[in-house]
Each structure stands twice: as structure tokens, then as C-alpha cells.
Amino acid sequence: MLERRARDNDSNRYDESLSPSHNAIEVRAIVSALRPARGETVVDLGAGTGRLTLPLARRGAKVVAVDLSLRSLEINRQKCEEAGLGDQVVHVMADACHLPIRTSSIEKLGSGMLLEHITPAQERKRCVEEIHRVLRPGGRMAITAYNYSWSLRRRRAPREGSHNGDLYFYRFEGAELAGLLGHFRNPRVSGILNLPKRLAVPALDRVIRALPPLAVQSGELLFAVAHR
Ligand SMILES: C[S@@+](CC[C@H](N)C(=O)[O-])C[C@H]1O[C@@H](n2cnc3c(N)ncnc32)[C@H](O)[C@@H]1O
């Protein structure tokens, strides 16, 4: 599969591609929405090299880190072991659209920038259905995905495309992502990374995130929280 091969090849460089300010805002948004309790099981879907896996495990959660890319999972596992978190994290190579996880078995699920890399649209829908299936009634999910923001639309940037010719991406509109989550309870879609990079500090970003119509228009990423 193209995505798996491309991610394996990209895995050594992935961590350098995101700035510390981006991580502080996105990872903090997901972790604080999930509020993992000690011993609780949290799935990190499309876990990659562990940007979200490690903060979740540091909070005491048992993390199931799922990804298609074996090389990314190896890096993820090595980081967990080096951080003394190896016993809390299980690494699973699997497709997010066909999860090898029992129905209604998971309390919480987080996912950073996975959904936009799944194609075609029916598979993105299937991935969301899988998230719904594996969560327990009342279970919570928090995810991010590329936003087709106002500034991208103004620049007539394409709706979908690829990074380096082989990593597919799709940009969601806020209402579209909310529609995909329609069968969840109380789905809330906002936007994060709302400000130019030099002003991207968590406190300012949180202020704008609290104003959903503005945040959904301006955010680099959409941020969705919902319950089963
Ligand atoms: C942009 S990276 C994000 C990684 C990590 N969540 C983070 O926030 O740093 C997207 C990840 O999703 C994984 N991925 C893409 N399609 C997938 C699929 N269908 N099933 C499981 N993982 C997938 C890729 O291998 C990659 O590790």
C-alpha cells in the first residue's frame, strides 16, 4: 500500500516536520479533551512515531498505539521503552478502517492528523464508524484533521493532494467533519492552530478555539470531540 510505504520511508524525518509550538497546541488539545485517568485504556489511532502516545502514557493511561507503518511503530516503541513507558503501551500494526479491537471495549480514543490521509471518502467514513464501534457507550474521542480553512480557500489551494507526491491528504470543512460524526453524541468541531506561526502560543490559541465559528474558519487543523 502506497501510504504504508511512504510512511515507513518518512518515519525518520517525521518528528522534525512539526514545530514545538504546533505540538504544544495540538497534543495538549487532544490530551486535555481526553483527560486519561491512570489505568484507563486509550487508543492512539494512526499513532505514528508517538507524538501523542507518550503524553497519554505519561498520564498513566494504557495506550494501544495503532498504525499501518511498521517503521513508525518501531520508532514509537523505542521511544516508549527509553521513557520507561514500555509496559503501558501495546503497538499494533493495523488499518484504522478495519480495527482488530472488540466492539464497545475502549474508554477513550485520540487521533492526531490521521483521517485526512485516508482515501477514498468511503474509507474515511468507515474509519469514523470503526471509532464509534470500538468505543464503549459514553466513551470519548478527540481527533484532529486538516482544515480547508478560509485562507486556503481564498488562495484557491486544492482540496486534496499529496505531500512529496506519495502522502495523500484531504482537507475537511468543519460542517463536513461534523456531519461525518453525526452518529456520535454531542459532536463538537472547532479549530486549532489559528494564528500565524510566530504567534502560535497555546493560551492565545485556546481563546480562539472557544469561538467555534471563527476557529473553524481560521484553524490550520479541525479539532473534534465527541461521545459514543
Ligand atoms: C500525519 S501522521 C500522524 C502521526 C501521529 N498521530 C502524530 O500526530 O504525530 C499520520 C499517521 O497515520 C498513519 N496512517 C495512515 N493511514 C492509516 C490507516 N489507514 N490505518 C492506520 N494508520 C494509518 C500513518 O502511517 C502515519 O503514521
Side-chain angles (χ1 to χ4, degrees), residues 21 25 193-201 204-205 208 218 220:
S21 61
I25 291 169
L193 293 158
N194 292 294
L195 295 161
K197 288 195 177 14
R198 65 182 189 289
L199 298 174
V201 290
L204 276 180
D205 206 83
I208 299 178
S218 64
E220 189 178 320

Short mmCIF file of all heavy atoms in Angstrom, two decimals, residues 21 25 193-201 204-205 208 218 220:
data_model
loop_
_atom_site.label_atom_id
_atom_site.label_comp_id
_atom_site.label_asym_id
_atom_site.label_seq_id
_atom_site.Cartn_x
_atom_site.Cartn_y
_atom_site.Cartn_z
N SER A 21 5.85 24.45 18.89
CA SER A 21 4.62 25.19 19.23
C SER A 21 3.40 24.46 18.67
O SER A 21 2.35 24.38 19.32
CB SER A 21 4.68 26.63 18.71
OG SER A 21 4.82 26.64 17.32
N ILE A 25 0.30 22.87 21.07
CA ILE A 25 -1.12 23.20 20.91
C ILE A 25 -1.94 21.95 20.58
O ILE A 25 -2.96 21.65 21.23
CB ILE A 25 -1.30 24.29 19.83
CG1 ILE A 25 -0.72 25.61 20.36
CG2 ILE A 25 -2.76 24.44 19.42
CD1 ILE A 25 -0.59 26.70 19.31
N LEU A 193 -4.63 25.87 16.06
CA LEU A 193 -3.53 26.45 15.28
C LEU A 193 -4.12 27.57 14.43
O LEU A 193 -4.07 27.55 13.20
CB LEU A 193 -2.83 25.38 14.45
CG LEU A 193 -2.09 24.35 15.30
CD1 LEU A 193 -1.88 23.06 14.54
CD2 LEU A 193 -0.77 24.90 15.80
N ASN A 194 -4.68 28.53 15.14
CA ASN A 194 -5.44 29.59 14.49
C ASN A 194 -4.61 30.81 14.10
O ASN A 194 -5.09 31.67 13.39
CB ASN A 194 -6.55 30.06 15.43
CG ASN A 194 -7.59 28.99 15.60
OD1 ASN A 194 -8.27 28.66 14.66
ND2 ASN A 194 -7.68 28.42 16.78
N LEU A 195 -3.41 30.87 14.62
CA LEU A 195 -2.64 32.11 14.45
C LEU A 195 -1.37 31.85 13.64
O LEU A 195 -0.92 30.71 13.55
CB LEU A 195 -2.24 32.63 15.84
CG LEU A 195 -3.44 33.06 16.68
CD1 LEU A 195 -3.07 33.11 18.16
CD2 LEU A 195 -3.94 34.41 16.20
N PRO A 196 -0.79 32.90 13.06
CA PRO A 196 0.48 32.71 12.35
C PRO A 196 1.52 32.09 13.28
O PRO A 196 1.45 32.28 14.51
CB PRO A 196 0.90 34.13 11.97
CG PRO A 196 -0.32 34.96 12.10
CD PRO A 196 -1.25 34.29 13.05
N LYS A 197 2.47 31.37 12.69
CA LYS A 197 3.40 30.57 13.49
C LYS A 197 4.09 31.36 14.61
O LYS A 197 4.25 30.88 15.72
CB LYS A 197 4.46 29.93 12.59
CG LYS A 197 3.86 28.80 11.76
CD LYS A 197 4.88 27.92 11.14
CE LYS A 197 4.29 26.76 10.36
NZ LYS A 197 2.88 26.74 10.03
N ARG A 198 4.44 32.63 14.34
CA ARG A 198 5.17 33.38 15.37
C ARG A 198 4.28 33.73 16.58
O ARG A 198 4.78 34.07 17.65
CB ARG A 198 5.82 34.64 14.78
CG ARG A 198 4.84 35.66 14.28
CD ARG A 198 5.52 36.86 13.65
NE ARG A 198 4.56 37.90 13.35
CZ ARG A 198 3.65 37.83 12.39
NH1 ARG A 198 3.58 36.76 11.61
NH2 ARG A 198 2.79 38.81 12.20
N LEU A 199 2.98 33.67 16.39
CA LEU A 199 2.05 33.96 17.50
C LEU A 199 1.40 32.69 18.06
O LEU A 199 0.49 32.76 18.89
CB LEU A 199 0.94 34.89 17.01
CG LEU A 199 1.35 36.26 16.50
CD1 LEU A 199 0.15 36.98 15.93
CD2 LEU A 199 1.96 37.07 17.64
N ALA A 200 1.87 31.54 17.56
CA ALA A 200 1.19 30.28 17.92
C ALA A 200 1.57 29.85 19.32
O ALA A 200 2.44 29.02 19.52
CB ALA A 200 1.53 29.19 16.90
N VAL A 201 0.90 30.43 20.29
CA VAL A 201 1.12 30.01 21.69
C VAL A 201 -0.19 29.41 22.22
O VAL A 201 -1.28 29.86 21.85
CB VAL A 201 1.60 31.18 22.59
CG1 VAL A 201 3.00 31.60 22.22
CG2 VAL A 201 0.64 32.34 22.53
N LEU A 204 -3.21 31.75 23.59
CA LEU A 204 -3.94 32.53 22.58
C LEU A 204 -4.80 31.61 21.71
O LEU A 204 -5.94 31.93 21.37
CB LEU A 204 -2.95 33.25 21.66
CG LEU A 204 -2.40 34.59 22.13
CD1 LEU A 204 -1.43 35.14 21.09
CD2 LEU A 204 -3.56 35.56 22.35
N ASP A 205 -4.22 30.47 21.36
CA ASP A 205 -4.96 29.53 20.52
C ASP A 205 -6.23 29.05 21.22
O ASP A 205 -7.29 28.91 20.61
CB ASP A 205 -4.06 28.34 20.16
CG ASP A 205 -4.49 27.69 18.86
OD1 ASP A 205 -4.10 28.19 17.80
OD2 ASP A 205 -5.24 26.71 18.92
N ILE A 208 -9.12 31.52 20.96
CA ILE A 208 -9.83 31.49 19.67
C ILE A 208 -10.63 30.19 19.53
O ILE A 208 -11.74 30.19 19.00
CB ILE A 208 -8.85 31.67 18.50
CG1 ILE A 208 -8.17 33.02 18.66
CG2 ILE A 208 -9.56 31.58 17.16
CD1 ILE A 208 -7.15 33.34 17.64
N SER A 218 -10.55 29.62 10.69
CA SER A 218 -9.15 30.04 10.65
C SER A 218 -8.15 28.95 10.99
O SER A 218 -6.97 29.06 10.66
CB SER A 218 -8.94 31.22 11.61
OG SER A 218 -9.18 30.81 12.94
N GLU A 220 -5.62 25.86 11.33
CA GLU A 220 -4.89 25.00 10.38
C GLU A 220 -5.45 23.57 10.46
O GLU A 220 -5.55 22.87 9.47
CB GLU A 220 -3.42 25.01 10.80
CG GLU A 220 -2.46 24.37 9.84
CD GLU A 220 -1.02 24.50 10.34
OE1 GLU A 220 -0.65 25.57 10.89
OE2 GLU A 220 -0.28 23.51 10.21
#
